[in-house]
Amino acid sequence: DAGVIQSPRHEVTEMGQEVTLRCKPISGHDYLFWYRQTMMRGLELLIYFNNNVPIDDSGMPEDRFSAKMPNASFSTLKIQPSEPRDSAVYFCASSLSGLAGSGELFFGEGSRLTVL
Amino acid sequence: SQQGEEDPQALSIQEGENATMNCSYKTSINNLQWYRQNSGRGLVHLILIRSNEREKHSGRLRVTLDTSKKSSSLLITASRAADTASYFCATVGSEKLVFGKGTKLTVNP
């Protein structure tokens, strides 16, 4: 399998613009997670899905952030409008099974977002 | 919060030496996992230890878990320059994996 695929790898945009990050999880994985990584705050869980259904979005920082999973092989994280403080590396990860058991996360390479 | 906290924040050793990283957390867990992140890359799962386990080995990795002290340690034996990376512990209380800030390990050749 190709692993978790994220695009774009790098995105530079101006404040106020809409940003869409994309993720293709590993085939057959039922869980999908979006994380954000910054030097100051480390890795923060934004939202996760189980079988395409959002389960916990308590980590989504503001209404400017939204995430969807229209099918088992695709998810998007959208920021509208973007702000400089949104600059971070955004990771998508998937898991075959629930983490409370023996599930482990498989991460993509991340999307580095810079908002000017 | 059940977020793990790693100690030390940074560690620099010579090739061939052992590296020990510690992790403390605050609430009860189902399992604890360690991940590695090379610069500019995604995280890679290393090892998982369940709450009813005390020690686990995988190659040059040894993980211990003390639930009474809410702490875990990761030992890398006979380190190599290629082990240079950041190492994160992550705790699972429900279905969410909560990461610590990580330990940055540098192995000098």
Side-chain angles (χ1 to χ4, degrees):
Chain A
D1 202 311
V4 175
I5 300 173
Q6 291 186 245
S7 65
R9 289 295 313 278
H10 302 274
E11 173 95 6
V12 179
T13 190
E14 294 192 346
M15 183 174 62
Q17 296 298 305
E18 177 179 293
V19 174
T20 300
L21 307 178
R22 299 173 177 80
C23 175
K24 176 179 168 55
I26 294 173
S27 177
H29 282 196
D30 290 336
Y31 291 80
L32 184 139
F33 300 77
W34 282 99
Y35 282 88
R36 176 172 70 175
Q37 185 177 38
T38 61
M39 289 293 294
M40 289 296 295
R41 301 172 70 93
L43 274 155
E44 302 173 278
L45 176 64
L46 300 177
I47 185 172
Y48 80 93
F49 296 81
N50 180 22
N51 291 322
N52 313 337
V53 176
I55 303 301
D56 187 335
D57 66 354
S58 59
M60 296 286 262
E62 299 169 33
D63 291 344
R64 298 184 296 105
F65 286 69
S66 62
K68 293 182 180 179
M69 193 164 185
N71 57 64
S73 59
F74 184 65
S75 176
T76 59
L77 178 67
K78 188 173 291 187
I79 307 172
Q80 166 65 14
S82 58
E83 296 182 3
R85 60 191 166 126
D86 301 331
S87 297
V89 182
Y90 291 82
F91 286 102
C92 175
S94 68
S95 175
L96 179 63
S97 60
L99 299 180
S102 58
E104 63 183 80
L105 288 183
F106 292 80
F107 280 80
E109 295 287 20
S111 293
R112 180 175 294 275
L113 173 65
T114 302
V115 183
L116 303 175
Chain B
S1 164
Q2 66 183 50
Q3 182 181 45
E5 293 188 9
E6 291 89 343
D7 169 61
Q9 290 185 328
L11 179 62
S12 182
I13 60 174
Q14 295 299 121
E15 207 165 25
E17 295 179 338
N18 295 341
T20 299
M21 289 160 269
N22 302 297
C23 169
S24 60
Y25 57 93
K26 295 179 181 177
T27 62
S28 62
I29 60 172
N30 287 310
N31 65 65
L32 185 144
Q33 305 184 21
W34 285 89
Y35 287 76
R36 163 195 170 128
Q37 184 180 31
N38 286 73
S39 181
R41 306 294 298 276
L43 283 78
V44 175
H45 179 265
L46 294 176
I47 195 166
L48 178 154
I49 186 164
R50 293 184 177 82
S51 60
N52 61 354
E53 297 176 311
R54 293 296 168 257
E55 187 171 315
K56 203 162 183 182
H57 296 256
S58 176
R60 294 184 297 112
L61 304 181
R62 172 178 170 255
V63 170
T64 62
L65 179 64
D66 187 334
T67 53
S68 66
K69 294 181 179 179
K70 291 186 169 59
S71 67
S72 173
S73 67
L74 171 68
L75 169 68
I76 304 174
T77 59
S79 64
R80 306 165 181 167
D83 294 329
T84 294
S86 290
Y87 292 82
F88 296 86
C89 73
T91 53
V92 180
S94 56
E95 290 298 339
K96 298 193 291 188
L97 202 58
V98 181
F99 286 86
K101 292 284 183 69
T103 292
K104 188 169 184 178
L105 173 66
T106 302
V107 181
N108 302 298

